[in-house]
């Protein structure tokens, strides 16, 4: 993990270079471009209405697609994107465009919302904290695709585990508005939770920066520079994920033409948009803070070098001339009258002490000591 | 307060990470997210009209809500946001939306104005100076929520104490226009005072920067860097608070559709908007000044290091060769003819003095001394 | 003037923090917020038409207001803003809004134009050079308020002395268009002269920067850094004054709705707007130049430090080993065979000379000497 | 390749300064402005429809132009731009404007799309990786002109070899939609492949930056600075090529007025536009990363200098005073009582050891060792 | 030329501070504000139509104005702007506004186009390379005013010599479209040539930057910093000249309302606009390159300082302790047992050699040698 002699830190996460792998393929080809190892594909199903709630883990795709249109909201949660035929099965059942399926499987999409005649397609970046002893928070980024078709919400993600468990619980316990409002509210609630988790990530980054700022003064070393730069890289990635998310939410909140998104849900979307704006502002503030920490580090280092130089100069300025003086009387000339003087040795000491005193006075006046 | 060996300064104030604490709660849930300890909630009431004025401290919520609609302006001033049921009582009495109450209690809101059918909701950041012996001004930031419903203005804040006492006195003494104009003018006057206090904060920051600029030349040390960075952090926070305030005021001043805000008050709002623009410009100017002080610090430090190096080099260049020379004649070879010369010792001195003179001349020509 | 041991420079001018002084006063209160000591208030009057011209110095306010509406253009020039009753007298006579009078007396206004039903109110920042032996130009900034009501132009300023004398002469001598066109042309001519004086200020600043650039190479010292930073501060202030002036002129030049500003004068205003744009561009260019001078200073200082270090290193590298060698033969061991050799001393010299030659060769190859 | 003593790197590619060479020529003059040596001009032809496919390498221009309008899509691929008469022959056959032909031959065009009455003209920058052992990727940039006239797509490039072979294969094997959709889809597919190749280039640059970041910590040397700056230069060029490409694609995707581009192809163009946006974002992120690597380099170098200075200071501070002490007792005064003391020598050693211990303690407390 | 001890470079050209000289003059006053010495004013005339061409050098103003309206295009080329009456004569003959004449003579105008009822007035900055042995290209900037009235194009410039000779030749030889299209094409062709010459200037600047980049690594010295800063200054000036030129061309190309500019010429103007955009992009790229060269310089200098320090530290660390050791045995204590040992001298040597070996090993492990 640390190729640089234990010091350097790898970029904590990189978007897989999906497009590079797919160069030359025909547009619309559904190919998983992520780095997850192929595993079993899981399909969970949550079905609920005002009067009931059902959570079927591992329901399988056919069970999940059966019964659509019975007036209840259903959330089909797909984990794992290797199974291209299954994606195409879902696409066929819900009438999705080939390009949508391609985007679902190409997991390096920019966040966006696309409106089709019968459905909305939303791509987001889900970012979570990985527990770690490191000062720099370790982040995990994943593409979350959300399709809203009539009463159905389909979510696609690469790995098991997400940030949506509190939502599942809320729906199950019929708390809040979740059960009373329709599939559009469900889609909103998913989006909102993803945005809210950005705050937790930013808080961790803020703490890391504060720790680095202390270190920059205390003990400026490689790890500080490296850590600050790693944080800056993370913020760069976050901004890249959040900036289009903000546009996406603004676009959804404005979305008045179609009946897909009801007016109360639009109000909530405006709220989520406000959150995204606040997240972005925090990202920018943390970016400036990170730059300031780097500046502080450099300033502290300069000051430290200056201190070191000053000590060296004081020592050298005091002792080098004295060493010259004693060297003079260490010469072996036959005719050196001072050597025979009675108080010669004492006089040399006196001269040297006066010189040292004068020099210390000079340093004091220059405020060096 | 100073974890870094007495030198580092904590960020003077941080927005509580409200959203992180609330992740997973249903939107519209009213939860106080600030850091104030729970204390008694106070409700003050000011009622006035052209012909009278009444200020009831600790009136209690029911008394404050009684009598609304009697043609007089009433200002209900709520201090402390822990009492969720009371907030919901006010919301019910005045017809506030759940999201408004949630925002009142979530004290990390971005400044904004929201128009509802029957009321306006304004969020501001109230920033005040805390008296302190520190060079870097110590700031206190607090969320002030203002609700304007008909003849009633309700303000919500977390802590006792605010910047509005001069306004209370002005109304009580019937100076200025305050008593003649309606509740919209009252709301404006509150907003205006909050904006005006930003000037006082900026003046304190400006003085701090001037002090640091002197120090940067006189005695560049850790405290200077640290102080300048602390000021930059404060300016970053201020900008974040003031930038949306400007938009808010522009939006209110343009607000022509509804009767809630009368035309003369809109004129005053335009004035307040001009102030907010001036505040923002000052913030930007101070940010550039802070950067310039940091630059000056670095330049002064570089010059100081250069001075130190120059002294070292002069001393070393003069004395190291001389020490070599006297070292030569300190050797104990049996056959060193110079040692026996009558004027050997004097000749060495002469050579050394000439060398020193030449070197000093060279340094003078290079303008080092 | 130089608190920093003769080196630091105070910001050459600061906007008085007017608003901080007025916090809590009712909007519309007329209070002078500047720093001028209270002195006599002077009112000059210039009255002219196609056929005549009269300049009455110290006319007094009543004389100045008498006779308005006789078809001749009159320019009432008020110096000194302490006399609140007089300001209110003028306001009453010309029908000015209380907010206008407040702005006239609050001398930290941002440049702006405000249109009222019967008059235009223009605020500008008049910036002039104070003669000084300093390299950094010393600037004086003052608020100039211009009110255009029918045939009357009123100007308000804090101090005697302005940049408008050439205009007075031009009107008096009936040169140019001044006498043939109306009060709107007069107002334009005043604005134009204020803008033109910015050029003179910028030229002085440009000369200062050029001087500092030479110094940055010749003798990088504190005064250079300090001077460049002072110039940057001045440019920051200038930009703050000129930027809204540009908007103001654009707004006036577009002002087609009302009859107050005639079409030919609008043409001239477009010209003045072009000038303001050019001034702003020059300000930006000088700001970049100032940054470049600072960069040059730092680079020159780094190079100088490098030179110093190189000299030190050469001296030390040559002489420290030699001193060691002669130290060896200064040891007093009883058994040191070399000391007894016939050519020992000569051999040591030979070895040392060869070593020096080799080192000099190495330095030459590294291009250090 | 390395004029700077093996260290410096030439800018990896430069746009030929086409316009400088053509100054004074009448607009519309067709002159090849690139740097390719004149060689044979090659014209390939691909003709296909739903039922057949023909690829004629070296078909020649007349064969390529014959048969246009038979309902099949034909792709005329011209390599080499020296042959002005041939370009004019194509222009005449397809009805191209002289300015289009001029742009085809002037190979330093900015990417753009131009709509003419009967055809679309698209200019792109085709950027490919040249295999190299260098850490900094070696790029090759070339102008690709695409003309879409009815059923014909003509591509013009300077050199043999391009990024379009996968497309040729795809059409030949009738995979994807290529054969079923018309000439507009062919043009889109060409544009899309060029954009997709930018990803491969960016991935190589990203790898290079990662390598340089490791080096910046391990062994900061000239090659690191040079490499990072070379990468920055490449990113600058890439941005210059891609920025207008994004506009071009947005413009094509919006192109609703004419029948030249069908609605399904516009959907694909929107997709290509999304890719271009993602490419641009990556370029910006890599630019910031490159700056961060440079910053890291400088910080690592400062730290290293600080380390070096600290060692020097410790050594000098410990030994220079000791050398002075032993120098004192190396003096040859006749009257130096200490020299005759029984334990004088031992006392000197004791004093020196204590002094060293104290100094080491001081260094330890300053955390220098 | 080099006031700074042979090192500093004066800004290669400065816009004359025209406005400062004219402060207080009535707007519309025609005064030459440039720095050219007054010389003879020259008026050249080129008259041509489809069937003929005449070039009369030194035609004089009356001859040039005679015969206007005969259906042929005439280009009146005025050199030298001191002759105010002549300018007014031209203005009267062609119906020019006084402000236009003022702008013609005030040679520090920003590029712009102004439409009047009967004519177009275009101001451009003509920038040419002055042949020089200097690395930094020496530029000459001049104002070129172009007036298009009906069939007449008048150009005004300060000095003999311009960039338009190729155009004169082209018209004379009836090459290209010049003779067939009207006066608007002539005006376009002039503008186009001026823009094209910016490319030549930028190419020279690009070459200079490349030379400085090599130097920054090879031999970082004052001249490099100075040269790079001079280039940056030139680019700043160029941007200032070209930025409004781009707007000007966009405005002309859009100019659909009036018949003055025909549709084919507008097509050519769009082309010229594309060129101006490309020029601006190149300017921005060169500005970033110049900054990068400066950064490289600083990094190279830091590395060099680090190298110097390292050598010094190695030498000092090796020899200072050794010198101490030999100093010890140079003391003259009577009781120093080691001095009498048989192998004392050899032992000291052995100890010293081992110490040196250990230190070299340590340096090797730190990669210092």
């Amino acid at each position: 993990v640390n190729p640089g002699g234990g010091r350097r830190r790898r970029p904590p996460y990189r978007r897989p270079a999906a497009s590079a792998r797919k160069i030359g393929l025909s547009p619309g080809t559904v190919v998983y471009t992520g780095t997850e190892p192929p595993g079993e594909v899981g399909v969970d199903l949550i079905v609920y209405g005002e009067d009931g709630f059902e959570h079927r883990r591992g329901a399988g795709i056919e069970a999940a697609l059966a019964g659509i249109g019975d007036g209840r909201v259903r959330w089909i949660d797909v984990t794992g994107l290797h199974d291209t035929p299954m994606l195409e099965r879902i696409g066929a059942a819900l009438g999705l465009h080939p390009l949508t399926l391609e985007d679902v499987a190409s997991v390096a999409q920019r966040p966006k919302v696309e409106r089709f005649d019968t459905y909305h397609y939303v791509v987001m970046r889900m970012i979570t904290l990985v527990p770690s002893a490191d000062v720099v928070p370790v982040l995990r980024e994943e593409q979350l695709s959300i399709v809203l078709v009539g009463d159905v919400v389909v979510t696609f993600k690469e790995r098991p585990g997400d940030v949506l468990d509190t939502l599942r619980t809320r729906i199950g316990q019929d708390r809040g508005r979740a059960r009373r409002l329709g599939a559009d509210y469900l889609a909103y609630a998913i989006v909102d939770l993803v945005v809210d988790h950005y705050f937790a990530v930013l808080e961790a980054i803020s703490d890391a920066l504060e720790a680095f700022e202390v270190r920059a003064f205390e003990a400026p070393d490689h790890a500080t520079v490296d850590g600050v730069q790693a944080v800056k890289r993370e913020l760069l990635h976050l901004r890249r994920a959040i900036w289009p998310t903000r546009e996406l939410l603004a676009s959804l909140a404005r979305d008045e033409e179609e009946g897909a998104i009801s007016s109360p849900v639009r109000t909530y979307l405006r709220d989520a948009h406000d959150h995204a704006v606040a997240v972005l502002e925090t990202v920018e503030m943390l970016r400036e803070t990170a730059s300031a920490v780097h500046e502080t580090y450099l300033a502290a280092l300069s000051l430290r070098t200056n201190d070191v130089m000053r000590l060296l100069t004081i020592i050298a300025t005091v002792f080098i001339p004295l060493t010259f003086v004693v060297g003079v009387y260490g010469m072996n000339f036959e005719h050196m009258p001072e050597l025979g003087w009675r108080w010669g040795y004492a006089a040399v000491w006196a001269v040297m002490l006066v010189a040292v005193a004068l020099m210390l006075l000079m340093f004091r006046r220059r405020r060096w000591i």
Side-chain angles (χ1 to χ4, degrees), chain A:
Chain A
V1 201
N2 279 326
R7 281 194 310 257
R8 225 188 57 85
R9 206 179 294 275
R10 292 220 51 228
Y13 58 98
R14 283 181 71 188
R15 275 202 200 179
S19 303
R21 195 176 304 178
K22 287 182 63 185
I23 293 176
L25 289 188
S26 173
T29 311
V30 182
V31 178
Y32 173 59
T33 63
T35 57
E36 285 294 302
E40 196 146 333
V41 169
V43 178
D44 282 15
L45 174 69
I46 291 179
V47 188
Y48 65 88
E50 295 232 8
D51 52 348
F53 168 88
E54 194 182 353
H55 188 171
R56 288 164 61 189
R57 286 188 179 78
I61 182 62
E62 293 309 326
L65 293 173
I68 287 178
D70 59 1
R72 294 195 301 169
V73 176
R74 52 188 66 219
W75 172 7
I76 302 172
D77 184 19
V78 180
T79 304
L81 304 173
H82 289 91
D83 188 351
T84 303
M86 193 200 66
L87 295 182
E88 283 166 352
R89 171 74 186 90
I90 297 173
L94 300 173
L96 308 185
H97 194 281
L99 277 177
T100 299
L101 291 179
E102 184 193 358
D103 284 356
V104 164
S106 301
V107 291
Q109 297 296 314
R110 229 178 146 248
K112 63 177 172 182
V113 58
E114 286 188 337
R115 289 168 187 76
F116 291 84
D117 288 344
T118 56
Y119 66 97
H120 280 65
Y121 173 52
V122 174
V123 185
M124 300 193 77
R125 314 298 305 170
M126 184 161 67
I127 300 176
T128 43
L129 284 168
V130 176
S132 144
D134 203 347
V135 183
V136 179
V138 180
L139 307 185
R140 201 178 67 169
E141 190 184 6
E142 193 179 351
Q143 174 165 317
L144 181 71
S145 294
I146 305 164
V147 174
L148 169 63
V149 210
D151 286 337
V152 182
V153 172
V154 194
T155 51
F156 298 92
K157 58 182 193 279
E158 292 176 76
R159 278 185 296 261
D162 54 33
V163 302
L164 307 173
D165 279 338
T166 54
L167 176 62
R168 291 191 188 90
T169 314
R170 231 158 66 203
I171 302 174
Q173 302 179 346
D174 196 5
R175 279 188 283 131
R177 284 154 203 79
R179 289 270 279 278
R180 288 186 301 279
L181 294 163
D184 51 349
Y185 183 85
L186 176 61
Y188 148 73
I190 293 168
V191 168
D192 190 52
L193 262 178
V194 172
V195 171
D196 274 1
H197 264 83
Y198 295 154
F199 279 109
V201 170
L202 290 179
E203 217 173 324
I205 287 179
S206 173
D207 290 347
L209 278 178
E210 210 165 316
F212 283 127
E213 190 163 27
V214 176
R215 268 210 220 165
F217 275 114
E218 303 294 293
D221 60 0
H222 271 186
T224 315
V225 178
D226 192 20
V228 173
Q229 298 292 0
V231 165
K232 281 172 103 169
R233 258 195 313 269
E234 292 189 349
L235 288 168
L236 216 53
H237 275 95
L238 277 167
R239 192 176 56 155
R240 198 176 164 186
I242 300 169
W243 189 268
T245 301
R246 198 195 52 145
E247 293 169 34
L248 176 167
L249 284 163
S251 163
L252 279 177
R254 268 196 318 269
D255 195 2
E256 310 215 346
E257 30 174 327
E258 296 170 67
I261 294 175
S262 63
S263 165
V265 170
R266 279 208 301 275
T267 309
Y268 286 109
L269 282 165
R270 264 195 291 279
D271 200 57
H273 173 251
D274 283 1
H275 288 187
V277 170
V279 170
L280 259 184
E281 277 186 352
T282 308
V283 168
E284 292 307 323
M285 210 178 71
L286 290 176
R287 276 165 54 92
E288 297 207 36
T289 305
S291 294
V293 173
H294 188 79
E295 272 179 17
T296 299
Y297 168 86
L298 290 178
L301 200 55
S302 285
L303 194 59
R304 192 165 274 229
T305 301
N306 185 277
D307 284 351
V308 169
M309 294 299 311
R310 215 158 53 197
L311 176 61
L312 174 61
T313 301
I314 290 169
I315 293 288
T317 305
V318 168
F319 284 102
I320 290 183
L322 298 186
T323 303
F324 163 68
V325 168
V326 302
V328 166
Y329 296 104
M331 290 196 289
N332 298 321
F333 283 102
E334 290 173 13
H335 303 278
M336 289 178 67
E338 300 98 318
L339 294 182
W341 295 352
R342 183 65 189 87
W343 297 106
Y345 179 51
V348 163
W349 267 116
V351 163
M352 291 196 301
L353 289 175
V354 167
V356 167
L358 286 175
M359 276 188 284
L360 291 182
L361 209 72
M362 182 194 75
F363 288 131
R364 163 68 62 191
R365 283 191 50 200
R366 291 191 179 201
R367 296 197 202 170
W368 286 16
I369 49 176

